Coordinates of all heavy atoms in Angstrom, one line a residue:
M25 N 23.3 30.7 58.6 CA 23.1 29.3 59.0 C 24.2 28.5 58.3 O 24.7 28.9 57.2 CB 21.8 28.8 58.4 CG 21.3 27.6 59.1 SD 19.7 26.8 58.5 CE 18.7 28.3 58.1
S26 N 24.8 27.6 59.1 CA 25.9 26.8 58.6 C 25.7 25.4 58.8 O 25.2 25.0 59.9 CB 27.1 27.4 59.1 OG 28.0 26.3 59.5
F27 N 25.9 24.5 57.9 CA 25.7 23.1 58.0 C 27.0 22.4 57.8 O 27.9 22.9 57.2 CB 24.8 22.5 56.9 CG 23.3 23.1 57.0 CD1 23.0 24.2 56.3 CD2 22.4 22.5 57.8 CE1 21.6 24.7 56.4 CE2 21.2 22.9 58.0 CZ 20.8 24.1 57.3
K28 N 27.2 21.2 58.3 CA 28.4 20.4 58.1 C 28.3 19.6 56.8 O 28.9 19.8 55.9 CB 28.5 19.5 59.3 CG 29.9 18.9 59.5 CD 30.1 18.4 60.9 CE 31.3 17.6 61.0 NZ 31.2 16.2 60.7
T29 N 27.2 18.8 56.8 CA 27.2 17.9 55.6 C 25.7 18.0 55.1 O 24.7 17.7 55.8 CB 27.4 16.4 55.9 OG1 28.8 16.4 56.5 CG2 27.4 15.5 54.7
I30 N 25.5 18.3 53.7 CA 24.2 18.4 53.1 C 24.2 17.6 51.9 O 25.2 17.5 51.1 CB 24.0 19.9 52.7 CG1 24.0 20.8 53.9 CG2 22.6 19.9 52.0 CD1 23.8 22.3 53.5
L31 N 23.1 16.8 51.7 CA 22.8 16.1 50.5 C 21.7 16.7 49.7 O 20.7 17.0 50.2 CB 22.7 14.6 50.7 CG 22.6 13.7 49.5 CD1 23.2 12.3 49.9 CD2 21.3 13.5 48.9
V32 N 22.1 17.1 48.4 CA 20.9 17.6 47.5 C 20.6 16.6 46.4 O 21.6 16.4 45.6 CB 21.3 18.9 47.1 CG1 20.1 19.6 46.1 CG2 21.6 20.1 48.0
A33 N 19.5 16.0 46.4 CA 19.2 15.1 45.3 C 18.4 16.0 44.2 O 17.5 16.8 44.5 CB 18.3 14.0 45.9
G34 N 18.8 15.7 42.9 CA 18.2 16.4 41.8 C 18.9 17.7 41.6 O 18.4 18.8 41.4
A35 N 20.3 17.7 41.7 CA 21.1 18.9 41.7 C 21.7 19.2 40.4 O 22.5 20.2 40.2 CB 22.2 18.7 42.7
S36 N 21.3 18.6 39.3 CA 21.9 18.9 38.0 C 21.3 20.2 37.4 O 22.0 20.8 36.5 CB 21.9 17.6 37.0 OG 20.5 17.3 36.7
R37 N 20.2 20.4 37.7 CA 19.5 21.5 37.1 C 18.2 22.0 38.0 O 18.0 21.4 39.0 CB 19.0 21.2 35.7 CG 18.0 20.1 35.6 CD 17.5 19.9 34.1 NE 16.5 18.9 34.2 CZ 16.8 17.6 34.1 NH1 18.0 17.2 34.0 NH2 15.9 16.7 34.1
G38 N 17.6 23.0 37.5 CA 16.3 23.5 38.2 C 16.5 23.8 39.6 O 17.5 24.5 40.0
I39 N 15.5 23.5 40.3 CA 15.4 24.0 41.8 C 16.6 23.4 42.5 O 17.2 24.1 43.4 CB 14.1 23.5 42.4 CG1 12.9 24.2 41.7 CG2 14.1 23.9 43.9 CD1 11.6 23.5 42.0
G40 N 16.9 22.1 42.3 CA 18.0 21.5 43.0 C 19.3 22.1 42.8 O 20.2 22.3 43.7
L41 N 19.6 22.5 41.6 CA 20.9 23.1 41.3 C 21.0 24.5 42.0 O 22.1 24.8 42.5 CB 21.1 23.3 39.7 CG 22.3 24.0 39.3 CD1 23.6 23.4 39.9 CD2 22.4 24.1 37.8
A42 N 19.9 25.2 42.0 CA 19.8 26.5 42.5 C 20.2 26.3 44.1 O 21.0 27.2 44.6 CB 18.6 27.3 42.2
V43 N 19.5 25.4 44.6 CA 19.7 25.2 46.2 C 21.1 24.8 46.4 O 21.7 25.2 47.4 CB 18.6 24.1 46.6 CG1 19.0 23.7 48.0 CG2 17.3 24.7 46.5
A44 N 21.6 23.9 45.6 CA 23.0 23.3 45.8 C 23.9 24.4 45.7 O 24.9 24.7 46.6 CB 23.3 22.2 44.8
E45 N 23.8 25.3 44.7 CA 24.8 26.4 44.4 C 24.7 27.4 45.6 O 25.7 28.0 46.0 CB 24.5 27.1 43.1 CG 24.9 26.2 42.0 CD 24.7 26.9 40.5 OE1 23.8 27.7 40.4 OE2 25.5 26.5 39.6
H46 N 23.5 27.5 46.1 CA 23.3 28.5 47.2 C 24.0 28.0 48.6 O 24.6 28.8 49.3 CB 21.8 28.8 47.5 CG 21.6 29.7 48.6 ND1 21.8 31.0 48.6 CD2 21.1 29.5 49.9 CE1 21.4 31.6 49.7 NE2 21.0 30.6 50.5
L47 N 23.8 26.6 48.8 CA 24.3 26.1 50.0 C 25.8 25.7 50.1 O 26.3 25.3 51.2 CB 23.4 24.9 50.5 CG 22.0 25.4 50.9 CD1 21.1 24.1 51.2 CD2 22.0 26.3 52.1
V48 N 26.4 25.5 48.9 CA 27.8 24.9 48.9 C 28.7 25.7 49.7 O 29.6 25.1 50.3 CB 28.1 24.7 47.3 CG1 28.5 26.0 46.7 CG2 29.3 23.7 47.3
S49 N 28.6 27.0 49.6 CA 29.5 27.9 50.5 C 29.1 27.9 52.0 O 29.9 28.4 52.8 CB 29.5 29.2 49.9 OG 28.3 29.8 50.1
Q50 N 28.0 27.3 52.3 CA 27.6 27.3 53.7 C 27.6 26.0 54.4 O 26.9 25.7 55.4 CB 26.1 27.9 53.8 CG 25.9 29.2 53.2 CD 24.4 29.7 53.2 OE1 23.8 29.6 54.3 NE2 23.9 30.1 52.2
S51 N 28.4 25.1 53.7 CA 28.6 23.8 54.4 C 30.0 23.3 54.2 O 30.7 23.8 53.5 CB 27.6 22.8 53.5 OG 28.0 22.8 52.2
D52 N 30.4 22.2 55.1 CA 31.7 21.7 55.0 C 31.6 20.7 53.8 O 32.7 20.6 53.1 CB 32.0 20.9 56.3 CG 32.1 21.9 57.5 OD1 32.3 23.1 57.2 OD2 32.0 21.4 58.6
R53 N 30.6 20.0 53.6 CA 30.5 19.1 52.5 C 29.1 19.1 51.9 O 28.2 18.9 52.6 CB 30.8 17.7 53.1 CG 30.9 16.6 52.1 CD 31.1 15.2 52.7 NE 31.3 14.2 51.7 CZ 31.0 13.0 52.0 NH1 30.7 12.5 53.2 NH2 31.1 12.0 51.0
L54 N 29.0 19.3 50.5 CA 27.8 19.2 50.0 C 27.9 18.1 48.8 O 28.7 18.2 47.8 CB 27.3 20.6 49.4 CG 25.9 20.6 48.8 CD1 25.2 21.9 49.0 CD2 25.8 20.3 47.3
L55 N 27.0 17.2 49.0 CA 26.9 16.1 48.0 C 25.8 16.3 47.0 O 24.6 16.6 47.5 CB 26.8 14.8 48.6 CG 27.8 14.4 49.6 CD1 27.3 14.7 51.1 CD2 28.0 12.8 49.6
A56 N 26.1 16.4 45.7 CA 25.0 16.7 44.7 C 24.7 15.4 44.0 O 25.6 14.7 43.5 CB 25.5 17.7 43.7
V57 N 23.5 15.0 44.0 CA 23.2 13.7 43.3 C 22.2 13.9 42.2 O 21.2 14.7 42.2 CB 22.3 12.8 44.3 CG1 21.9 11.5 43.7 CG2 23.2 12.6 45.5
S58 N 22.5 13.3 41.0 CA 21.7 13.3 39.8 C 22.3 12.3 38.8 O 23.3 11.7 39.1 CB 21.6 14.7 39.2 OG 23.0 15.2 39.1
R59 N 21.5 12.0 37.7 CA 22.0 11.2 36.7 C 23.0 11.7 35.8 O 24.0 11.1 35.4 CB 20.8 10.5 36.0 CG 19.9 9.7 36.8 CD 18.6 9.4 36.1 NE 17.9 10.7 35.7 CZ 16.6 10.8 35.2 NH1 16.0 9.7 34.9 NH2 16.1 12.0 35.0
T60 N 22.7 12.9 35.4 CA 23.6 13.7 34.6 C 24.4 14.7 35.5 O 24.0 15.1 36.5 CB 22.9 14.5 33.4 OG1 21.9 15.4 34.0 CG2 22.1 13.6 32.5
A61 N 25.5 15.1 34.8 CA 26.5 15.9 35.7 C 25.9 17.2 36.3 O 25.1 17.9 35.6 CB 27.7 16.3 34.9
A62 N 26.3 17.4 37.6 CA 26.0 18.6 38.2 C 27.3 19.4 38.4 O 28.4 18.8 38.7 CB 25.4 18.4 39.6
P63 N 27.2 20.8 38.2 CA 28.4 21.6 38.4 C 28.9 21.8 39.8 O 29.0 23.0 40.2 CB 28.1 22.8 37.6 CG 26.7 23.0 37.8 CD 26.1 21.5 37.9
I64 N 29.0 20.8 40.6 CA 29.3 20.8 42.1 C 30.5 19.9 42.3 O 30.5 18.8 41.7 CB 28.0 20.4 42.8 CG1 26.8 21.3 42.5 CG2 28.4 20.4 44.4 CD1 26.8 22.7 43.2
D65 N 31.3 20.3 43.1 CA 32.6 19.5 43.3 C 32.3 18.0 43.6 O 32.9 17.2 43.0 CB 33.5 20.1 44.4 CG 34.3 21.2 43.9 OD1 34.3 21.3 42.7 OD2 35.0 21.9 44.8
E66 N 31.5 17.8 44.6 CA 31.2 16.4 44.9 C 29.9 16.0 44.4 O 28.8 16.0 45.0 CB 31.2 16.2 46.5 CG 31.2 14.8 46.8 CD 31.5 14.5 48.3 OE1 31.8 15.4 49.1 OE2 31.4 13.3 48.7
W67 N 30.0 15.6 43.1 CA 28.8 15.1 42.3 C 28.8 13.6 42.4 O 29.8 13.0 42.1 CB 28.8 15.6 40.9 CG 27.8 14.9 40.0 CD1 26.4 14.9 40.2 CD2 28.0 14.2 38.9 NE1 25.8 14.1 39.3 CE2 26.8 13.7 38.3 CE3 29.1 13.8 38.1 CZ2 26.6 13.0 37.3 CZ3 29.0 13.1 37.0 CH2 27.7 12.6 36.5
I68 N 27.6 13.1 42.7 CA 27.5 11.7 42.8 C 26.5 11.3 41.6 O 25.2 11.7 41.7 CB 27.0 11.1 44.1 CG1 28.0 11.5 45.1 CG2 26.7 9.6 44.2 CD1 27.2 11.6 46.5
Q69 N 27.0 10.4 40.7 CA 26.0 10.0 39.5 C 25.3 8.8 40.1 O 25.8 7.8 40.5 CB 26.9 9.6 38.4 CG 26.0 9.2 37.2 CD 26.7 8.9 35.9 OE1 27.9 8.6 36.0 NE2 26.1 9.1 34.8
A70 N 23.9 9.0 40.2 CA 23.1 8.0 40.6 C 21.7 8.2 40.2 O 21.1 9.3 40.0 CB 23.1 7.9 42.1
D71 N 21.0 7.0 39.8 CA 19.7 7.1 39.4 C 18.8 6.6 40.7 O 18.9 5.4 41.1 CB 19.3 6.2 38.2 CG 17.9 6.1 37.8 OD1 17.0 6.6 38.6 OD2 17.6 5.7 36.7
L72 N 18.1 7.5 41.3 CA 17.5 7.3 42.6 C 16.3 6.5 42.4 O 15.6 6.1 43.4 CB 17.2 8.6 43.3 CG 18.4 9.3 43.7 CD1 18.1 10.7 44.3 CD2 19.2 8.6 44.8
S73 N 15.9 6.1 41.2 CA 14.7 5.2 41.0 C 15.1 3.8 41.0 O 14.4 2.9 40.9 CB 14.0 5.5 39.6 OG 14.8 5.2 38.6
E74 N 16.5 3.6 41.1 CA 17.1 2.2 41.1 C 17.7 2.0 42.5 O 18.4 2.9 43.0 CB 18.1 2.1 39.9 CG 17.6 2.4 38.6 CD 16.8 1.3 38.1 OE1 16.9 0.1 38.5 OE2 16.2 1.5 37.0
L75 N 17.6 0.8 43.0 CA 18.2 0.4 44.2 C 19.8 0.6 44.2 O 20.4 1.1 45.1 CB 17.9 -1.0 44.6 CG 18.5 -1.5 46.0 CD1 18.1 -0.7 47.1 CD2 18.3 -3.0 46.2
T76 N 20.3 0.3 43.1 CA 21.8 0.4 42.9 C 22.3 1.9 43.0 O 23.3 2.2 43.6 CB 22.3 0.0 41.5 OG1 21.6 0.4 40.6 CG2 22.3 -1.6 41.5
G77 N 21.4 2.8 42.6 CA 21.6 4.3 42.7 C 21.6 4.7 44.1 O 22.4 5.4 44.6
V78 N 20.5 4.2 44.9 CA 20.5 4.5 46.3 C 21.7 3.9 47.1 O 22.3 4.7 47.9 CB 19.2 3.9 46.9 CG1 19.1 4.1 48.5 CG2 18.0 4.5 46.2
E79 N 22.1 2.7 46.7 CA 23.4 2.2 47.3 C 24.6 3.0 47.0 O 25.5 3.1 47.8 CB 23.4 0.7 46.9 CG 22.4 -0.2 47.4 CD 22.3 -1.6 46.8 OE1 23.0 -1.8 45.8 OE2 21.8 -2.5 47.4
T80 N 24.6 3.4 45.8 CA 25.8 4.3 45.4 C 25.9 5.6 46.2 O 26.9 6.0 46.8 CB 25.7 4.8 44.0 OG1 25.7 3.5 43.0 CG2 26.8 5.7 43.5
V81 N 24.7 6.2 46.6 CA 24.7 7.4 47.3 C 25.0 7.1 48.8 O 25.9 7.7 49.4 CB 23.3 8.0 47.2 CG1 23.2 9.2 48.3 CG2 22.9 8.5 45.9
A82 N 24.5 6.0 49.3 CA 24.8 5.6 50.7 C 26.3 5.3 50.9 O 27.0 5.8 51.9 CB 24.1 4.3 51.0
K83 N 26.9 4.7 49.8 CA 28.4 4.4 49.9 C 29.2 5.7 49.9 O 30.1 5.9 50.6 CB 28.8 3.5 48.7 CG 30.1 2.9 48.8 CD 30.3 1.9 47.7 CE 31.8 1.4 47.6 NZ 32.1 0.7 46.4
A84 N 28.7 6.6 49.1 CA 29.4 8.0 49.0 C 29.3 8.8 50.3 O 30.3 9.4 50.7 CB 28.9 8.8 47.9
V85 N 28.2 8.7 51.0 CA 28.0 9.4 52.2 C 28.9 8.7 53.3 O 29.5 9.5 54.1 CB 26.6 9.3 52.7 CG1 26.3 9.9 54.1 CG2 25.6 10.1 51.7
G86 N 29.0 7.5 53.2 CA 29.9 6.8 54.1 C 29.5 6.9 55.6 O 28.3 6.8 55.9
D87 N 30.4 7.1 56.4 CA 30.1 7.2 57.8 C 29.7 8.6 58.3 O 29.4 8.9 59.5 CB 31.3 6.7 58.8 CG 31.5 5.3 58.6 OD1 30.6 4.6 58.3 OD2 32.7 4.9 58.7
D88 N 29.7 9.5 57.3 CA 29.3 10.9 57.7 C 27.9 11.0 58.1 O 27.1 10.2 57.6 CB 29.5 11.8 56.3 CG 30.1 13.2 56.7 OD1 30.1 13.5 57.9 OD2 30.4 13.8 55.7
R89 N 27.5 11.9 58.9 CA 26.2 12.1 59.4 C 25.6 13.3 58.5 O 26.3 14.3 58.4 CB 26.2 12.5 60.9 CG 24.7 12.5 61.4 CD 24.6 13.1 62.8 NE 24.7 14.6 62.5 CZ 24.5 15.6 63.5 NH1 24.3 15.1 64.8 NH2 24.6 16.9 63.3
L90 N 24.4 13.1 57.9 CA 23.8 14.2 57.2 C 23.1 15.1 58.1 O 22.2 14.7 58.9 CB 22.8 13.6 56.1 CG 23.3 12.7 55.0 CD1 22.2 12.3 54.2 CD2 24.3 13.5 54.2
D91 N 23.4 16.5 57.9 CA 22.7 17.4 58.7 C 21.4 17.9 58.0 O 20.5 18.3 58.6 CB 23.6 18.6 58.9 CG 24.8 18.2 59.8 OD1 24.6 17.8 60.9 OD2 25.9 18.2 59.3
A92 N 21.5 17.6 56.7 CA 20.2 18.0 55.9 C 20.3 17.2 54.6 O 21.2 17.0 54.0 CB 20.2 19.6 55.6
L93 N 19.0 16.8 54.3 CA 18.8 16.1 53.0 C 17.7 16.8 52.3 O 16.6 17.0 52.8 CB 18.4 14.6 53.3 CG 18.4 13.7 52.0 CD1 18.6 12.3 52.4 CD2 17.2 13.9 51.2
L94 N 18.0 17.4 51.2 CA 17.0 18.2 50.3 C 16.7 17.4 49.1 O 17.5 17.2 48.2 CB 17.6 19.5 50.1 CG 18.0 20.3 51.3 CD1 18.9 21.5 51.0 CD2 16.8 20.7 52.1
Y95 N 15.5 17.0 49.0 CA 15.2 16.1 47.8 C 14.4 16.9 46.8 O 13.2 17.2 46.9 CB 14.3 14.9 48.3 CG 14.2 13.9 47.2 CD1 15.1 12.8 47.3 CD2 13.3 14.0 46.1 CE1 15.0 11.9 46.2 CE2 13.3 13.1 45.1 CZ 14.2 12.0 45.1 OH 14.1 11.1 44.1
M96 N 15.1 17.3 45.7 CA 14.7 18.0 44.6 C 14.4 17.3 43.4 O 14.1 17.8 42.3 CB 15.5 19.3 44.4 CG 15.9 20.1 45.6 SD 14.5 20.9 46.4 CE 15.3 21.4 47.8
G97 N 14.8 16.0 43.5 CA 14.6 15.2 42.2 C 13.2 15.0 41.8 O 12.3 14.9 42.6
G98 N 13.0 14.8 40.5 CA 11.7 14.5 40.1 C 11.5 14.9 38.6 O 12.4 15.3 37.9
T99 N 10.3 14.9 38.1 CA 10.0 15.2 36.7 C 9.0 16.3 36.8 O 7.9 16.2 37.5 CB 9.5 14.0 36.0 OG1 10.4 12.9 36.1 CG2 9.2 14.3 34.6
W100 N 9.1 17.3 36.1 CA 8.2 18.4 36.0 C 7.2 18.1 34.9 O 7.5 18.1 33.7 CB 9.0 19.7 35.6 CG 8.1 20.9 35.5 CD1 8.1 21.9 34.5 CD2 7.1 21.4 36.5 NE1 7.2 22.8 34.8 CE2 6.6 22.6 36.1 CE3 6.7 21.0 37.8 CZ2 5.7 23.3 36.7 CZ3 5.8 21.7 38.5 CH2 5.3 22.9 38.0
E101 N 6.0 17.8 35.3 CA 4.9 17.2 34.4 C 4.1 18.4 33.8 O 3.2 18.7 34.3 CB 4.0 16.3 35.1 CG 4.7 15.1 35.8 CD 4.8 13.9 34.7 OE1 4.4 14.1 33.6 OE2 5.4 12.9 35.0
T102 N 4.7 18.9 32.6 CA 4.0 20.0 32.1 C 2.6 19.7 31.6 O 1.6 20.5 31.6 CB 4.7 20.7 30.9 OG1 5.2 19.6 30.0 CG2 6.0 21.3 31.4
H103 N 2.4 18.4 31.1 CA 1.1 18.0 30.6 C 0.0 18.0 31.7 O -1.2 18.0 31.4 CB 1.2 16.6 29.9 CG 1.4 15.5 30.9 ND1 2.7 15.1 31.1 CD2 0.5 14.8 31.6 CE1 2.5 14.0 32.0 NE2 1.2 13.9 32.3
A104 N 0.4 18.1 33.0 CA -0.7 18.1 34.0 C -1.4 19.4 34.0 O -2.4 19.5 34.7 CB 0.1 17.9 35.4
F105 N -0.9 20.3 33.3 CA -1.7 21.8 33.2 C -2.3 22.0 31.9 O -2.6 23.1 31.6 CB -0.7 22.8 33.6 CG 0.0 22.6 35.0 CD1 1.2 22.0 35.2 CD2 -0.9 22.9 36.1 CE1 1.6 21.9 36.5 CE2 -0.3 22.8 37.4 CZ 0.9 22.1 37.6
T106 N -2.5 20.9 31.1 CA -3.2 21.1 29.9 C -4.7 21.3 30.2 O -5.1 20.8 31.4 CB -3.0 20.0 28.9 OG1 -3.5 18.8 29.5 CG2 -1.6 19.8 28.5
N107 N -5.6 21.6 29.3 CA -7.0 21.5 29.6 C -7.6 20.3 30.0 O -8.4 20.1 30.9 CB -7.8 22.0 28.4 CG -7.6 23.6 28.1 OD1 -7.3 24.3 29.0 ND2 -7.7 24.0 26.9
L108 N -6.9 19.2 29.5 CA -7.4 17.9 29.8 C -7.2 17.5 31.3 O -8.0 16.8 31.9 CB -6.6 16.8 28.9 CG -7.1 15.4 28.9 CD1 -8.6 15.3 28.4 CD2 -6.3 14.5 28.0
H109 N -6.2 18.0 31.9 CA -5.8 17.7 33.2 C -5.8 18.9 34.3 O -5.3 18.8 35.3 CB -4.3 17.1 33.3 CG -4.3 15.8 32.4 ND1 -3.8 15.8 31.1 CD2 -4.5 14.5 32.8 CE1 -3.9 14.6 30.6 NE2 -4.2 13.8 31.6
S110 N -6.5 20.0 33.8 CA -6.5 21.2 34.6 C -7.2 20.9 36.0 O -8.0 20.1 36.1 CB -7.1 22.3 33.9 OG -8.4 22.2 33.9
L111 N -6.9 21.7 37.0 CA -7.5 21.6 38.2 C -9.0 21.9 38.1 O -9.7 21.4 38.8 CB -6.8 22.5 39.2 CG -5.3 22.3 39.5 CD1 -4.8 23.3 40.5 CD2 -5.3 20.9 40.2
I112 N -9.3 22.8 37.1 CA -10.8 23.2 37.0 C -11.6 22.0 36.5 O -12.6 21.7 37.1 CB -11.0 24.3 36.0 CG1 -10.2 25.6 36.7 CG2 -12.3 24.6 35.7 CD1 -10.0 26.7 35.6
V113 N -11.0 21.2 35.6 CA -11.7 20.1 35.1 C -11.9 19.1 36.2 O -12.8 18.5 36.5 CB -10.9 19.4 33.9 CG1 -11.5 18.0 33.6 CG2 -11.0 20.3 32.7
A114 N -10.6 18.9 37.0 CA -10.7 17.9 38.1 C -11.7 18.4 39.2 O -12.4 17.4 39.7 CB -9.3 17.9 38.7
S115 N -11.9 19.6 39.4 CA -12.9 20.0 40.5 C -14.3 19.7 40.0 O -15.2 19.4 40.8 CB -12.7 21.5 40.7 OG -13.1 22.3 39.7
H116 N -14.6 19.7 38.7 CA -15.9 19.4 38.2 C -16.3 17.9 38.4 O -17.4 17.5 38.4 CB -16.1 19.7 36.7 CG -16.2 21.2 36.4 ND1 -17.2 21.9 37.0 CD2 -15.5 22.1 35.8 CE1 -17.1 23.2 36.7 NE2 -16.1 23.3 36.0
L117 N -15.2 17.1 38.5 CA -15.4 15.7 38.6 C -15.7 15.2 40.0 O -16.2 14.2 40.3 CB -14.0 14.9 38.2 CG -13.8 15.1 36.6 CD1 -12.4 14.4 36.3 CD2 -14.9 14.5 35.7
C118 N -15.4 16.3 40.9 CA -15.6 15.9 42.4 C -17.0 16.0 42.8 O -17.8 16.7 42.3 CB -14.7 16.8 43.3 SG -12.9 16.5 43.0
Ligands
NAP223 N1 9.6 24.0 38.8 C1 8.5 24.3 39.4 O1 7.9 25.3 39.3 C2 7.9 23.1 40.3 C3 6.7 23.4 41.0 C4 6.2 22.5 41.8 C5 6.9 21.2 41.9 N2 7.9 21.0 41.2 C6 8.6 19.7 41.3 O2 9.9 19.8 41.9 C7 10.8 18.8 41.4 C8 12.1 19.6 40.8 O3 11.5 20.5 39.8 P1 12.5 21.3 38.7 O4 11.7 22.2 38.0 O5 13.7 21.7 39.5 O6 12.8 19.9 37.8 P2 14.0 19.8 36.7 O7 14.6 21.0 36.3 O8 13.5 18.8 35.7 O9 15.1 19.0 37.6 C9 14.8 17.7 38.1 C10 16.0 17.2 38.8 O10 15.8 15.9 39.3 C11 16.9 15.0 38.9 N3 16.3 13.6 38.7 C12 15.2 13.3 38.0 N4 15.0 12.0 38.0 C13 16.0 11.4 38.8 C14 16.5 10.2 39.2 N5 15.7 9.1 38.8 N6 17.6 10.0 39.9 C15 18.3 11.1 40.3 N7 17.9 12.4 40.0 C16 16.9 12.6 39.2 C17 17.4 15.6 37.5 O11 18.6 15.2 37.2 P3 19.0 14.2 36.1 O12 18.1 14.2 35.0 O13 20.4 14.6 35.7 O14 19.1 12.9 36.8 C18 17.3 17.1 37.9 O15 18.5 17.5 38.5 C19 9.9 18.0 40.4 O16 9.5 16.9 41.0 C20 8.8 19.0 40.0 O17 7.7 18.2 39.6 C21 8.5 21.8 40.4

């Protein structure tokens, strides 16, 4: 599969970085978005929880058409899997 332009949000580490590194050689242009640096040529520093961050990304994309937008940004909530918040406890509440 080959893409022209791909944007990966959350590309500094984790799932997003793995996806970006996999796809960078299969696209003409891969834009990597995150707050801290991503080891990808076209890294865009932006906080996507802020309007200014979204505007920064839109400006970087410019007139290019995105063929794929992969949104991997987010927070891995480890506390969601403690006994207090487990799915088993939640199911008892239903
Ligand atoms: N790992 C799993 O097994 C798993 C399973 C199910 C769902 N998920 C979900 O999938 C998502 C990614 O998981 P992950 O394990 O790859 O997480 P991760 O290693 O913490 O990576 C999160 C990525 O999101 C970016 N990010 C976070 N807030 C951002 C913001 N405000 N603006 C721009 N970029 C932002 C981070 O970059 P910066 O900090 O540099 O901005 C980072 O690149 C999370 O939402 C997680 O809850 C993960």
